[in-house]
Amino acid sequence: ALYAASCDALRNLARFDAVSIRRADDDGQWLVPVAWHGWGQGALTRYELPGPGDAVSMADGGLVGARVHPTARSFLERRSIYTADYQAEPSLRQYWERARAHGVHALVATPLWRGDEVVGTLTVGSAKPHAFDDEDRALIERIAKTLSAGLASREAMRRLADSEARFRRLNAIAADWIWETDDQMRLTYISPSYYDKLGAAAHAVLGSVMGTMDHPEDDPRQREAYKAALADRRPFRDYE
């Protein structure tokens, strides 16, 4: 949904002729279309990423090689690639026929990031040569950054959900009881073993402030050390 919404926004709101998003496959060998708007189905080819045996070299900070499409170059060079007149680029000769068939004359490709890793590309095409000015290219790059942030956020949420599930499973079998608090030190979660240890329902103390639930048998020195650790946001252990 995130990919499709980004393509729709650039196509319908920014009025660009065609937009596509590609992601690298798991093996890092291909850039595969995952969302698009304005391109004909036949234009949505996947692009091969050069391997160690391909005739591709680095020169002046860029890739030199006839096999490298601008979209793949953007991915590999980790920067935006602007092709002002697709049909006038000798290095793209092998793509000319396909570009003419689909009415592509100008192209901007910019990488999509997940942290420090490039994971895909955003490509915007135009039926007119020299169609993208500085403002257009800046807009495309801003959209790519926003999309990258969304990808990172979605991945973080997935990892958080996985971590939460593991945490809950651990709590269910933990010998001791485990709790969580909010930034005001109010109890927001207590593991099921709380009932077994203390004979009270966990929900009965949720919302209580840690450090205010003293027990008559608590060691006063240990209790004060525990409260001081809470106040200073320091770790503590062996509190009984």
Side-chain angles (χ1 to χ4, degrees), residues 9 17-18 25 42 44 82 91 95 100 103 138 144 148 170 173 191-192 197 218 233:
D17 292 337
D25 65 6
L44 293 168
Y82 174 42
S91 65
Y95 303 108
R100 283 194 294 268
S148 295
L170 172 64
I173 61 174
S191 60
K197 295 292 182 181
D218 287 345
R233 301 296 199 269

Side-chain angles (χ1 to χ4, degrees), residues 102-233:
H102 297 288
V104 178
H105 286 273
L107 199 71
V108 176
T110 192
L112 299 175
W113 299 80
R114 185 177 58 204
D116 295 330
E117 177 189 9
V118 176
V119 295
T121 56
L122 170 64
T123 303
V124 180
S126 175
K128 299 179 180 178
H130 305 280
F132 301 104
D133 57 21
D134 292 343
E135 185 175 342
D136 291 329
R137 297 198 296 274
L139 172 62
I140 293 167
E141 290 181 352
R142 287 198 301 272
I143 292 289
K145 289 180 180 178
T146 300
L147 181 56
S148 295
L151 292 174
S153 176
R154 187 170 63 178
E155 179 67 16
M157 291 300 292
R158 184 192 65 78
R159 290 197 301 267
L160 179 61
D162 290 345
S163 177
E164 180 77 3
R166 290 194 297 270
F167 178 67
R168 301 299 183 190
R169 288 195 295 270
L170 172 64
N171 287 352
I173 61 174
D176 296 320
W177 61 289
I178 301 172
W179 68 90
E180 292 178 341
T181 66
D182 61 16
D183 58 355
Q184 301 298 316
M185 302 307 296
R186 290 186 296 263
L187 281 166
T188 59
Y189 172 79
I190 301 179
S191 60
S193 56
Y194 178 84
Y195 180 85
D196 298 330
K197 295 292 182 181
L198 301 181
H203 64 77
V205 295
L206 290 178
S208 301
V209 177
M210 291 297 293
T212 63
M213 300 180 296
D214 298 336
H215 190 277
E217 298 181 6
D218 287 345
D219 182 331
R221 292 171 300 178
Q222 194 176 52
R223 182 169 61 240
E224 291 306 314
Y226 163 68
K227 290 182 177 180
L230 287 180
D232 295 339
R233 301 296 199 269

Side-chain angles (χ1 to χ4, degrees), residues 51-64:
D54 291 321
V56 177
S57 62
M58 296 298 294
D60 299 324
L63 284 166
V64 178

